Each structure stands twice: as C-alpha cells, then as structure tokens.
Amino acid sequence: MDVSYLDNNSTTPVMPEVMEAMIPCFSESFGNPSSIHGFGRRALAHLKRAREQVAALLGCLPTEIVFTSGGTEGDNLALKGVMNPGDHIIVSAIEHSAILSTCKWLEHIGCEVTKVGVNSNGQVEPDSVRRALRKNTRLISVMMANNETGVLQPVEEIGRIASEADVWFHTDAVQAAGKIPISVQSIGCDLLTISAHKIHGPQGVGALFVRRGTPLLSQLHGGHQERGRRPGTENVPGIVGLGQASKIAREGLSDGSVERMGVLRNRLEDAILKLVPETRINGKEASRVPNTSNILFEHVGGDALVLALDALGVAASRGAACTAGEADPSSVLMAMGLTGEQSRSSLRFSIGKQNTVEDIDRAISVLPDAVRRLREASPFYRPTATTAKGRE
Ligand SMILES: Cc1ncc(COP(=O)(O)O)c(C=O)c1O
C-alpha cells in the first residue's frame, strides 16, 4: 500500500543529495578532523564546508556555528550555557519540551522562570514579554515557529525588546528552518537552534548559532572541539548531511519548493473544511509556516484518528513526536484556549518537500469517512444538523 507521510514536523526523509554528500565520510574521508595528517585534514575540510553552508542558511559567520546532536541539545546548551543560579529567564508557554523541561531544571538549580502565554491565534504578544522583564532577567527564549501549529512568533520584535533591555535572546528555529528565510541579524538573536532531521538531513545532528561575544558555558567537558563550546569528536557524516540539507533548504526558499508545500497544505485544509463537518484550523488567523496544518475534528479521539488513518495509508500525528502516545492534552493548544477535549481531538498534518498532490488527495479521500466512523462509534456523540448533512 502506498502511504502518505504527512508527519514531516516529526522528522523528514533524508534527501538523496544529502545521503550522497555523507557517503565519502564513511570511506575515504573517515578521518578525525582534529588529526593533523591528510586523513584528518580531509575530514576537517568537510566540516569547514558544512559550517559555511549552515552559516549561509542563518546569515551568520561560520565561526558562530556550534555543531550539536540536534534541537534538544541546542536548546539545552543555549539555556544552561547562559543562565546562572539567581538569574531570571522568560520563555513562552508554547515552547518545545526541550526548552520547557530545561526550564524546570533551571528552577531546580535556583533560577527564576516566567512563562508568557499566547493569544487565541497561538502568538506570543511582545508586550507580555516586555512586562515580564525583571532586573535579574538574563535570557529570553521564544521559538520562531511552533511545532504543533506552525504559527510564527514575533521574534524580531522580541529581539528588539531583548536588545533594549540588554538581555540575551535565544530562538528555537527548528521548525522554521527551510520553511521561511532566517536572518540572525534581522531577528537580533544571540542564540538560535536548528536540527538537521527537520530539513531532510540526518537525525542526531544540529547546530546552535552563538553570536560572537555571547557568554556560553560548555555543558560537556573534554577536548577543544567547536572552540571548546561542545567538546567531543565531531559527527562528521552527520554534520556534512546537515550542511548539504542547509544548502538545499536555502535554495528551496527561492526555487519554488516552499511555495509548493504551501499549495499542498492549503489544498488539504480547503478540502477538509469543506468535506468534514465540525472542523477548524487551529491558528489559521496567524501567519504560519507553509507546511503545517493543525486541524480540530470535534468529537473525535485524536489518537484513534491517527491510528485509523495509519491503517488507511496516511501518517499524521496528534502533536510533538516526543509526547506522542501521552494521554495529556497538548499544552500548546490549551494555551490557545482550546479545551482538553478539543486539544485531544486535534491532528497535525505536516508536509515535506517529497510530498505530492497524490499524498494530499489520499488524505482527503480517507479522512471524511474515518472521522464519520469514529464519531458514530462514540457513545457521547450526537450529530448536529450540519454533521448529519455532511454524512449524505
Ligand atoms: C521546536 C522544536 N524544538 C526542538 C526539537 C528537538 O529537536 P531534536 O529532535 O533534533 O532533538 C523539536 C523536535 O520536534 C522541535 O520541533
């Protein structure tokens, strides 16, 4: 059975060009980049090119890139590397668990944390960040694009607030990279996280942008790799994959592939709203990345719908992959004002560069019936006039 993989915010398939770029690192360029002989120098040349490719995606200097094991490590390093006991940090309530769990740890070591809420569109209000500033605020961390709804956050305004207040600013751009242009200069951030596997690169590798002059305490102790900011022999094949994926991501912003994802996303949303009664797009009023759609299917168990779709050849999810399977409602959707039940009835469809119209049309063809069956099977469900009409 052909399957429509519409869960690209969880992870994306590695592009063939990325794999191709990685292969030499497993054979002739297998050396340790810290070695001074030819094998090492060849590996180092690969690292150098990848660093330049990532820097070009973010609009920064190659020396401002620190390679990491992915988004989770980048977020941890940014927060733990800057915060000291007694400091205050401002984050949004809709951050990824890589930020929110790190904040719990920061509280444990004596830091203060303020979580600012979002409006019903899922956007942080810059004023709420301004109001949360304190004398001891050291860092603000607000993501660029939310992983569940795709809603873009006003990071440039928040960057200005941080700069006026002389506070460091980190943004998690894991879900923004490759979908919208990123310029660390326009955002005015000091730290920015990306992850390779969200941009058609390999899993387990990412990068943290660290603006020159930003104090960052390494969280690992060992060698001098990454200018001492992240010791350990570099994951050369992974980093080369990240570099190539960054190059493709950058090109995709102007070669029409990002627009194509938007067209597919809109095709899916328009059809579902028309064909399935009692549905709503979460965050539709806000600017969003073009590949993400979070849809509320009233009176349907989200996990049951994910499983039903899986059996019908469509892979979607109820939210972040790292919280999938948890019975808890999505804290992101609850922060936007959805009830627990509505949050559990919402599904995320996220499109990648490999997706085709056929993938979308398969989802459109199976969703109405899958939703109808689940609603009919529910003892609590009473069809409204519109729902009943939709069944004809
Ligand atoms: C917004 C965001 N931040 C961080 C991460 C964690 O990235 P990684 O899976 O590379 O650790 C994710 C992954 O879903 C994410 O969506």
Side-chain angles (χ1 to χ4, degrees), residues 123-305:
Q123 279 172 315
V124 173
E125 309 265 8
D127 256 353
S128 65
V129 175
R130 200 191 305 273
R131 283 196 302 271
L133 286 166
R134 296 183 192 165
K135 271 206 187 98
N136 60 339
T137 306
R138 182 158 170 87
L139 182 63
I140 297 171
S141 181
V142 174
M143 67 197 334
M144 262 191 103
N146 183 261
N147 44 304
E148 294 188 33
T149 60
V151 170
L152 294 170
Q153 303 303 320
V155 284
E156 295 192 4
E157 261 180 277
I158 296 171
R160 276 194 292 277
I161 292 170
S163 156
E164 281 162 22
D166 207 10
V167 164
W168 304 107
F169 178 36
H170 166 253
T171 186
D172 175 337
V174 166
Q175 296 290 352
K179 300 165 192 167
I180 55 164
I182 298 179
S183 156
V184 295
Q185 310 312 342
S186 345
I187 300 169
C189 57
D190 306 292
L191 301 137
L192 179 146
T193 304
I194 61 165
S195 174
H197 74 109
K198 311 291 187 176
I199 55 169
H200 299 278
Q203 295 168 346
V205 59
L208 178 68
F209 154 74
V210 184
R211 188 180 292 282
R212 212 168 55 171
T214 307
L216 187 84
L217 191 67
S218 172
Q219 298 304 298
L220 296 176
H221 302 97
H224 299 294
Q225 291 91 347
E226 299 300 295
R227 298 170 170 244
R229 294 168 296 187
R230 206 282 190 173
T233 301
E234 298 87 344
N235 168 9
V236 181
I239 290 170
V240 165
L242 168 64
Q244 187 65 22
S246 300
K247 178 173 177 283
I248 296 169
R250 186 160 165 251
E251 289 164 358
L253 297 170
S254 55
D255 71 7
S257 56
V258 169
E259 277 91 346
R260 212 178 55 80
M261 291 199 289
V263 169
L264 295 180
R265 193 269 308 269
N266 295 347
R267 182 182 181 95
L268 177 72
E269 289 189 346
D270 292 347
I272 296 309
L273 289 180
K274 202 164 120 217
L275 298 172
V276 189
E278 295 189 76
T279 50
R280 193 175 84 198
I281 312 293
N282 294 318
K284 191 169 172 51
E285 303 311 317
S287 301
R288 292 177 293 160
V289 282
N291 81 315
T292 307
S293 182
N294 192 299
I295 308 182
L296 164 61
F297 298 92
E298 293 276 12
H299 319 296
V300 172
D303 286 332
L305 185 55

Side-chain angles (χ1 to χ4, degrees), residues 3 40 45 58 62 219 226 236 238 291 298 310 338 341 343 368 391:
V3 176
L58 306 181
Q219 298 304 298
E226 299 300 295
V236 181
N291 81 315
E298 293 276 12
D310 187 42
L338 273 73
E341 197 189 334
S343 143
R391 292 161 64 193

Side-chain angles (χ1 to χ4, degrees), residues 2 111 141 290:
D2 282 338
C111 296
S141 181

